Amino acid sequence: MGFEALLGNEQLKHNLISARKKHMLSHFYLISGPEGSGRHTLADLIAAGMLCQEENGPCGVCRSCRKVLSHTHPDYLVIDDPEKKTVPVDLIRQARADMFIRPNEGDRKIYLFPRAQDMGLPGQNALLKVLEEPPSYGVFLLIADNPDKLLPTVRSRCVELKLQALPEQLLRTQLSAEFPQADAQTLSAAMLRSGGYLGQARALLSGNTISEETVRFAKVYGARDAYGLVQLLVPMEKWKRDSLIPVLTEWLELIEQAMICRSGLPAVVPEAGEAASARNMSELMTAANHLKKAIEYAQGNVSCAAVCGWLSWALR
């Protein structure tokens, strides 16, 4: 396994492998890059490499590696509260205090901050105190999509690992293996819109399968077929909210993809490309707003029949 589990970024991996062999891995790493660039994969690999029971880890198969990669290792701790917009400063203070309790199983105690840019000034200042004088076994891994939000004093103490987009051929080969059903045009569209980042391309292609109702919606909406739209929506009036809302959300996503197509990027979903060809940007924006309202109505106390009836008029 090793750091090869992270695609691309050859120089970065070479530097980490060399540092691992020389026992010179840093106590502080700042891992930066956009969503889907492999930041969390890299953080896990660094942690596994530090806690691996083999000489030149991460091996990926020893007990420690398996625990790290499944996020069950007692010495690999995630500091975050996803329900809060800002990482609570109390969590950071608790981690700072816990750092001085020796590791449970390994030689290192590693703290992962998956939203470093959301720590806020009080949180960063709290972290800074332990960054200045950490125990020898302490390690901090900071993940940030926007490192500029971090204090210069925090960044200056970290070794920054900036993840790059994958080479085109490497990305295409990986996507072709993972999505054999996707044709060359769809793969190219996903690659272009992802900016070369595997995670983003995966997300686009994973959402490439749409429901029968969405296929029909794209057809009648693109054809300006008001009667066909009514025929589609009338049976849906009898649906329950938990069935209707996901389909309306899919319709909204289709329209949003069509708007992206109108801006010049290729469509990952062919139906979105067809809608973009049939409707202008103003019409697509209006449809998106109507669908957002319909979803809000459905999430409230408005009946499914009323929501579908209103849409058959609004989207005609």
Side-chain angles (χ1 to χ4, degrees):
M1 179 184 166
F3 288 104
E4 292 76 15
L6 177 72
L7 292 181
N9 298 280
E10 298 303 328
Q11 186 60 51
L12 181 152
K13 291 188 297 188
H14 172 78
N15 293 342
L16 285 171
I17 292 169
S18 177
R20 174 71 171 83
K21 289 180 179 179
K22 297 175 182 178
H23 302 285
M24 294 178 61
L25 287 171
S26 175
H27 287 270
F28 317 123
Y29 281 111
L30 170 59
I31 302 172
S32 64
E35 190 71 28
S37 59
R39 298 170 302 168
H40 293 84
T41 297
L42 179 56
D44 287 349
L45 290 172
I46 291 173
M50 290 181 173
L51 294 169
C52 183
Q53 297 168 355
E54 299 296 327
E55 177 64 24
N56 295 316
C59 67
V61 296
C62 72
R63 182 169 176 268
S64 292
C65 279
R66 286 186 279 111
K67 281 189 172 185
V68 168
L69 298 176
S70 63
H71 284 236
T72 58
H73 199 293
D75 297 322
Y76 185 36
L77 308 169
V78 179
I79 312 302
D80 194 16
D81 184 349
E83 295 183 359
K84 301 289 179 62
K85 184 176 181 180
T86 302
V87 181
V89 66
D90 287 344
L91 284 181
I92 299 170
R93 288 174 179 154
Q94 290 168 18
R96 187 179 65 192
D98 183 72
M99 170 65 77
F100 293 96
I101 301 174
R102 296 196 65 84
N104 291 277
E105 296 181 6
D107 296 328
R108 300 289 187 99
K109 201 166 187 179
I110 305 169
Y111 295 81
L112 173 65
F113 292 79
R115 291 191 298 141
Q117 74 278 350
D118 295 331
M119 287 192 293
L121 293 181
Q124 292 184 56
N125 282 319
L127 181 62
L128 191 58
K129 293 180 180 180
V130 75
L131 289 180
E132 292 172 345
E133 295 182 13
S136 60
Y137 53 78
V139 177
F140 288 89
L141 302 178
L142 281 61
I143 291 178
D145 54 16
N146 186 359
D148 291 336
K149 289 185 178 180
L150 295 176
L151 292 170
T153 45
V154 172
R155 292 187 66 177
S156 67
R157 285 165 173 78
C158 298
V159 174
E160 185 168 356
L161 304 174
K162 187 174 182 180
L163 289 159
Q164 305 293 330
L166 298 184
E168 181 179 346
Q169 189 54 53
L170 177 60
L171 180 58
R172 183 178 294 277
T173 299
Q174 185 66 25
L175 292 176
S176 297
E178 294 185 20
F179 300 93
Q181 75 284 0
D183 58 32
Q185 183 177 353
T186 300
L187 288 179
S188 296
M191 291 168 59
L192 179 61
R193 287 181 50 185
S194 71
Y197 292 103
L198 179 60
Q200 293 187 30
R202 279 173 174 160
L204 288 167
L205 291 170
S206 296
N208 193 31
T209 302
I210 59 178
S211 65
E212 179 184 347
E213 288 80 14
T214 302
V215 174
R216 290 179 60 194
F217 168 70
K219 182 177 180 180
V220 298
Y221 177 74
R224 304 175 187 271
D225 183 357
Y227 179 65
L229 182 62
V230 171
Q231 286 183 309
L232 172 60
L233 284 165
V234 166
M236 295 169 61
E237 293 180 354
K238 299 179 181 179
W239 288 12
K240 295 188 180 296
R241 285 187 177 87
D242 57 1
S243 297
L244 180 64
I245 292 172
V247 170
L248 296 184
T249 301
E250 201 173 74
W251 291 7
L252 174 59
E253 291 171 352
L254 179 101
I255 295 297
E256 289 174 340
Q257 285 201 41
M259 292 166 66
I260 292 173
C261 291
R262 291 289 303 188
S263 69
L265 290 176
V268 177
V269 178
E271 287 79 5
E274 294 169 6
S277 299
R279 298 276 191 161
N280 60 40
M281 183 63 84
S282 177
E283 291 173 322
L284 292 170
M285 291 178 65
T286 300
N289 289 331
H290 287 329
L291 285 165
K292 288 176 184 177
K293 284 186 178 180
I295 292 168
E296 290 175 3
Y297 292 153
Q299 290 171 336
N301 294 320
V302 181
S303 69
C304 292
V307 170
C308 291
W310 178 75
L311 272 179
S312 66
W313 171 81
L315 295 176
R316 67 191 188 283

